[in-house]
Amino acid sequence: MTASDEKFTRQTLLAVTPLTPSLFTLRTTRDAGFRFRAGQFARLGVTKADGSTVWRAYSVVSSPHDEFLEFFSIVVPDGEFTSELSRLREGDTLLVEKQATGFLTLDRFVDGRDLWMLSTGTGVAPFLSILQDFEVWERFERVILVYSVREAGELAYQELIAELMSRDYLAEYADKFLFIPIVTREEHPGALHGRITQLIENGELEQAAGLPLTPEHSRLMLCGNPQMIDDTRKLLKQRDLNLSLSRRPGQVAVENYW
Ligand SMILES: Cc1cc2nc3c(=O)[nH]c(=O)nc-3n(C[C@H](O)[C@H](O)[C@H](O)COP(=O)(O)OP(=O)(O)OC[C@H]3O[C@@H](n4cnc5c(N)ncnc54)[C@H](O)[C@@H]3O)c2cc1C
Ligand SMILES: NC(=O)c1ccc[n+]([C@@H]2O[C@H](COP(=O)([O-])OP(=O)(O)OC[C@H]3O[C@@H](n4cnc5c(N)ncnc54)[C@H](OP(=O)(O)O)[C@@H]3O)[C@@H](O)[C@H]2O)c1
């Protein structure tokens, strides 16, 4: 089989940066032919000592216009994939499937005024890509990133989020953006305290954003812990905010990480 017949390309790790003992970011080279939409994921492959390859889905953190690819990963204790991935170092090879996929993209919504992106843990990844792309800023009046972690030290990409709106190409949209960090297992200045679900139920999330959740104006993307997604979807349904399908456009799009 020639390289062009293969379903993946071999990319080189440019940087591996630990955030906590169980979280790290990685940056790789990008094949010139690799195309994706902000919010999509790619399957990454690592080759084990026995020569077999393990594949897992990873959301792309970097934007479609970046020359590199960036990913954000958990280390699952004894996880088949992440045990291998977390051993890789700068200069090592990572396999990247040629075809990016996923439906956590802005074309899930035909309309809407306020875009809420609700994430837990590494589920923030696709939203970072969306935030760095133009489309979201042109389409929505308000863009709210909600990012829930257990402990403050697990809040990743804080520099990127802080400097995002000072980038030349986004400066004119700066008033549209709101970042709401949530830390659930300790008090942290500047962050809300309580699960996304609790903060929706008690109204604190809307209060923090200064915006109500309404079927008319709100569009929501949910990503990360599947239980958070289930629980949040139930709450949203009670407020007439429903999954957006191609045959029936709605207000909610989701991506479960496991
Ligand atoms: C569409 C999609 C996109 C994904 N994007 C990312 C991403 O950008 N970053 C990332 O780290 N993972 C992501 N994942 C999860 C990823 O594919 C793997 O599950 C993860 O790398 C763990 O692999 P593993 O073989 O070590 O453990 P697995 O055997 O795959 O998982 C074991 C258990 O670990 C827990 N777990 C798995 N992934 C996570 C996670 N991300 N955060 C918290 N707990 C987890 C779950 O309890 C799971 O049952 C994504 C999954 C999907 C379906
Ligand atoms: N984070 C760590 O310190 C740590 C360290 C080593 C290993 N691990 C393991 O790694 C895995 C993932 O940990 P993680 O912290 O990245 O992910 P996580 O358990 O999904 O937690 C991330 C955020 O999502 C919230 N959340 C979880 N379930 C929710 C629900 N049903 N509704 C609303 N919010 C919800 C959590 O709140 P709550 O805090 O209220 O749950 C937390 O703020 C776990 O299996 C864990 O055992 C974690």
Side-chain angles (χ1 to χ4, degrees):
M1 191 186 280
T2 66
S4 61
D5 293 333
E6 289 175 337
K7 289 198 163 124
F8 58 86
T9 62
R10 289 172 181 77
Q11 299 304 316
T12 304
L13 277 170
L14 301 171
V16 181
T17 313
L19 176 70
T20 69
S22 55
L23 291 172
F24 66 106
T25 63
L26 51 161
R27 186 171 288 201
T28 73
T29 51
R30 173 177 175 178
D31 186 80
F34 182 76
R35 297 271 173 274
F36 67 100
R37 292 202 304 273
Q40 287 193 309
F41 64 87
R43 280 194 188 78
L44 304 183
V46 290
T47 307
K48 299 208 289 186
D50 65 6
S52 63
T53 304
V54 195
W55 295 93
R56 289 289 185 277
Y58 270 76
S59 302
V60 186
V61 168
S62 46
S63 86
H65 54 77
D66 283 324
E67 285 177 5
F68 54 85
L69 293 176
E70 171 107 5
F71 303 99
F72 176 33
S73 184
I74 182 107
V75 185
V76 175
D78 300 320
E80 189 183 7
F81 183 81
T82 52
S83 304
E84 300 291 333
L85 187 72
S86 58
R87 271 201 271 277
L88 298 183
R89 292 292 167 264
E90 203 179 309
D92 286 343
T93 298
L94 184 68
L95 309 182
V96 180
E97 225 175 52
K98 286 178 180 168
Q99 182 73 50
T101 37
F103 302 100
L104 201 65
T105 50
L106 293 180
D107 49 17
R108 287 293 294 280
F109 302 125
V110 294
D111 56 5
R113 188 192 68 186
D114 310 323
L115 181 70
W116 295 75
M117 297 184 282
L118 310 185
S119 58
T120 59
T122 52
V124 73
F127 301 145
L128 295 171
S129 183
I130 289 172
L131 286 170
Q132 295 180 82
D133 202 16
F134 267 117
E135 190 185 351
V136 72
W137 305 105
E138 310 229 298
R139 278 196 48 192
F140 290 91
E141 275 182 37
R142 301 303 306 271
V143 178
I144 305 109
L145 174 66
V146 178
Y147 177 15
S148 175
V149 295
R150 297 176 179 195
E151 293 171 9
E154 295 164 348
L155 286 168
Y157 293 104
Q158 296 306 284
E159 258 177 53
L160 185 156
I161 293 168
E163 62 82 36
L164 186 68
M165 303 317 290
S166 58
R167 293 185 186 182
D168 283 351
Y169 68 100
L170 295 182
E172 66 182 289
Y173 306 111
D175 295 345
K176 294 187 173 193
F177 182 49
L178 190 64
F179 174 46
I180 305 182
I182 298 176
V183 178
T184 45
R185 301 203 184 181
E186 61 183 4
E187 296 277 354
H188 182 67
L192 297 184
H193 187 59
R195 287 186 160 187
I196 288 174
T197 39
Q198 293 163 341
L199 301 172
I200 291 175
E201 273 185 301
N202 67 18
E204 262 189 76
L205 197 62
E206 288 157 288
Q207 204 178 4
L211 287 169
L213 285 168
T214 68
E216 185 187 2
H217 294 308
S218 313
R219 299 294 174 268
L220 296 103
M221 290 179 153
L222 278 51
C223 186
N225 185 313
Q227 196 58 55
M228 176 282 285
I229 292 176
D230 263 17
D231 296 349
T232 306
R233 272 189 62 191
K234 284 184 193 127
L235 289 175
L236 295 176
K237 199 160 187 263
Q238 289 166 13
R239 300 175 62 162
D240 265 340
L241 295 152
N242 295 300
L243 203 59
S244 193
L245 306 169
S246 45
R247 63 187 153 79
R248 194 194 63 216
Q251 298 79 20
V252 181
V254 306
E255 189 150 270
N256 287 305
Y257 267 10
W258 65 91

